[in-house]
Amino acid sequence: MRFEVSHVLDAIERRLTTEPSLARGVLDLAEIVRYVDLDGGRPATVVRLGLVIDAIARHLGEENVSVYCIVDKQMLSDLDVPSSERMVVRRWADDGHVEVVQGAQMRVREVSEVAGLPIISRFLPGWSTAPAPGGAAITVRGPVPGGPSDLGRRLMSVRWRCPDPECALFADMRVAVGQPLPALRGNPLCPRHGAPLADTGPAPISDVLAVRVGGIIKQRFLVTSAAPVLVGRAPDGQWEGSDARAIVLGPWLDEGAVKAISRTHLTVSLDRAGLSMKDVSMNGAWVHPGGDKIAPQQPRVLGPGEYLELYPGVEVGRPGTFGPAGVAPQSVLVDAPTVSFRPPNS
Ligand SMILES: [Zn+2]
């Protein structure tokens, strides 16, 4: 049993982000873990976060959605939460996947207002969670913010650093994956350490992209001017000596797509010229609308409203730009990569 729980928690970990532009909502973990009605199980368990993340995915019609998760400090000593789970949450905090704060409810409201994310909660206005057949469901209750406030945009345009050398939230290593929203008590503070943040200059410019397979968004990802992102069947992170990050398409591809899509098919980079896509594959990439093949091995700036197709039904672009869903062949629809949710012996 513990083995399965640990696998569920590993899968949940991949859905946690403290980068506001990737998160689809913000929540208070202590509230979710004690939501017994969701599954009628034990008094408190982090596994319930998985039910809520699945509900958000169904609500949005997207897979692999990420949430901005706030952990109240008190939860870490809540004896109803199994100690093995509390240990995992502490690790998440140390790695910067979640924020541990004093007073989570206040912080949830702040992130929602300033970063423009819906609150996922039983009590607060926003996206309400309730039990539903097979887990949880989201109903919209009250207004949902439409995007970051002006203050939020200003805060996110600066690269902040926490004076605590152990801080995983505001550290140099996060330059390619974004940074959390500073807390505000007069000055920008680290939400975990309460220390004033140092302004280290403008943040790298960034853009949110998505991979869509068979008409369904499988994964959103951040591209920053700090490092390129590689997209392919199984990209090699060591690319031309850079510390590029990789988007692995392999698990979402059918047999035809697996043959047609190269290990590293596309490099995506961002600079003042815009968002550049370079086809580094064997078979090519096509730009839509229009469907023209792009020149191989040469950066192609992706204009507003454009996206690339690597194979019929396998697309990369800004989430709002894809053509209507359902034009892709059904055969591209494959099972979601649920490997880690499967029982160990299946
Ligand atoms: Zn800090």
Side-chain angles (χ1 to χ4, degrees):
M1 186 60 196
R2 175 177 295 181
F3 182 77
E4 284 182 51
V5 167
S6 76
H7 274 239
V8 171
L9 296 185
D10 284 349
I12 291 173
E13 179 181 317
R14 292 191 285 274
R15 315 291 183 81
L16 301 172
T17 183
T18 46
E19 161 54 51
S21 62
L22 284 180
R24 309 308 304 280
V26 56
L27 54 82
D28 170 5
L29 184 61
E31 184 200 317
I32 305 292
V33 300
R34 287 197 158 272
Y35 197 175
V36 177
D37 291 349
L38 279 187
D39 54 10
R42 55 188 315 151
T45 171
V46 178
V47 171
R48 289 192 183 109
L49 179 55
L51 297 178
V52 169
I53 291 173
D54 280 351
I56 300 166
R58 279 194 298 272
H59 179 67
L60 293 170
E62 274 188 38
E63 292 178 6
N64 297 301
V65 296
S66 296
V67 292
Y68 200 120
C69 180
I70 312 287
V71 181
D72 200 290
K73 217 171 203 168
Q74 281 185 338
M75 202 201 106
L76 296 178
S77 48
D78 180 346
L79 296 179
D80 283 344
V81 181
S83 63
S84 57
E85 295 183 19
R86 277 182 279 142
M87 222 163 68
V88 169
V89 174
R90 250 182 236 120
R91 182 168 53 74
W92 288 348
D94 290 343
D95 293 345
H97 299 306
V98 298
E99 283 183 14
V100 173
V101 300
Q102 210 108 41
Q105 291 269 309
M106 201 168 75
R107 176 63 176 156
V108 164
R109 283 200 182 88
E110 180 177 59
V111 171
S112 169
E113 274 169 39
V114 182
L117 298 176
I119 297 176
I120 298 134
S121 166
R122 291 164 77 180
F123 314 108
L124 300 171
W127 288 354
S128 178
T129 51
I138 299 284
T139 49
V140 179
R141 188 180 60 191
V144 167
S149 66
D150 289 346
L151 173 64
R153 259 184 273 273
R154 283 206 304 280
L155 284 171
M156 289 187 264
S157 70
V158 171
R159 191 80 226 154
W160 301 101
R161 193 189 289 127
C162 178
D164 189 308
E166 303 279 287
C167 188
L169 293 174
F170 294 94
D172 290 338
M173 62 166 192
R174 288 192 51 129
V175 78
V177 294
Q179 69 178 348
L181 184 78
L184 281 170
R185 307 284 172 270
N187 291 317
L189 303 179
C190 174
R192 178 157 200 208
H193 298 105
L197 295 169
D199 177 342
T200 68
I205 50 172
S206 64
D207 209 343
V208 174
L209 296 190
V211 172
R212 190 171 80 159
V213 179
I216 294 172
I217 289 185
K218 295 287 187 183
Q219 179 84 62
R220 289 175 181 238
F221 60 98
L222 193 73
V223 186
T224 79
S225 52
V229 176
L230 313 179
V231 181
R233 185 166 37 82
D236 183 355
Q238 297 301 310
W239 182 262
E240 295 172 357
S242 74
D243 55 352
R245 289 173 313 118
I247 301 296
V248 180
L249 305 179
W252 303 319
L253 304 180
D254 68 5
E255 219 175 299
V258 159
K259 283 187 189 131
I261 293 181
S262 299
R263 273 180 74 88
T264 301
H265 201 103
L266 201 65
T267 69
V268 183
S269 50
L270 187 64
D271 58 28
R272 281 199 192 86
L275 187 68
S276 288
M277 315 287 248
K278 188 157 71 163
D279 167 23
V280 295
S281 73
M282 303 295 286
N283 290 312
W286 292 262
V287 67
H288 290 281
D292 293 334
K293 197 169 185 176
I294 64 171
Q297 304 292 341
Q298 278 173 43
R300 165 70 159 76
V301 174
L302 203 66
E306 288 186 334
Y307 63 95
L308 285 193
E309 186 180 61
L310 312 186
Y311 177 79
V314 181
E315 301 154 328
V316 181
R318 297 181 186 92
T321 60
F322 296 119
V327 293
Q330 286 296 319
S331 63
V332 181
L333 277 168
V334 292
D335 286 334
T338 51
V339 176
S340 47
F341 277 112
R342 276 184 203 137
N345 50 3
S346 75

